Amino acid sequence: MSDNNPSEIATVLTDQAPVPAGHYVQATVYGGMVYVSGQLPVRPGGTHAPEASFQDQARQALDNLLAVVRAAGSSPERLLKVTAYIAGVENWPHFNSVYADVLGDIKPARAVVPVPELHYGYLVEIDAVAAVDSK
């Protein structure tokens, strides 16, 4: 990401998260804000493990999300809004547990949206909005 004019739209690409497999970027930065695309629990190298437990998938998706947030010049403490799409409402308590473990005292606004299915058979996808760290 470039540190040029804050009114410019910048895109984010880090090898610490999976490279986008479709027509999108990992994140867009504009006006001091970071808009992170939905992160599936794909490993940064691009390998898939849809058979992994829900907890392992949630942790990987959060790790991917936080890697993109950091690459965009932000940090977990600057998260403003997180949306998690989870396959099956029964996974909500599992998501809460992993989310609390990963973020600790950080509590951005959040929505958890139960869905019938996600791409590649995954059980969770997470997107977010964060503020860029002030310099």
Side-chain angles (χ1 to χ4, degrees):
M1 197 191 81
S2 71
D3 292 331
N4 296 339
N5 184 341
S7 66
E8 289 183 16
I9 297 173
T11 59
V12 176
L13 181 62
T14 177
D15 62 3
Q16 300 301 302
V19 173
H23 191 72
Y24 62 96
V25 295
Q26 289 173 334
T28 302
V29 179
Y30 178 76
M33 304 292 286
V34 181
Y35 302 89
V36 182
S37 295
Q39 296 297 306
L40 289 166
V42 178
R43 293 184 187 113
T47 58
H48 292 271
E51 71 286 350
S53 71
F54 180 88
Q55 290 87 338
D56 288 346
Q57 289 190 36
R59 187 169 302 276
Q60 183 65 63
L62 283 165
D63 287 349
N64 293 344
L65 179 101
L66 294 177
V68 174
V69 164
R70 289 181 180 108
S74 188
S75 63
E77 296 79 14
R78 309 274 297 167
L79 284 167
L80 301 173
K81 174 76 166 74
V82 174
T83 304
Y85 305 90
I86 61 171
V89 72
E90 67 276 3
N91 285 315
W92 199 312
H94 303 300
F95 180 75
N96 276 336
S97 177
V98 172
Y99 188 81
D101 185 51
V102 170
L103 292 182
D105 292 334
I106 301 165
K107 294 182 180 179
R110 184 188 87 172
V112 177
V113 183
V115 297
E117 63 183 322
L118 291 165
H119 199 40
Y120 302 117
Y122 281 116
L123 302 174
V124 62
E125 181 173 354
I126 307 169
D127 67 26
V129 176
V132 175
D133 281 337
S134 48
K135 305 224 186 254

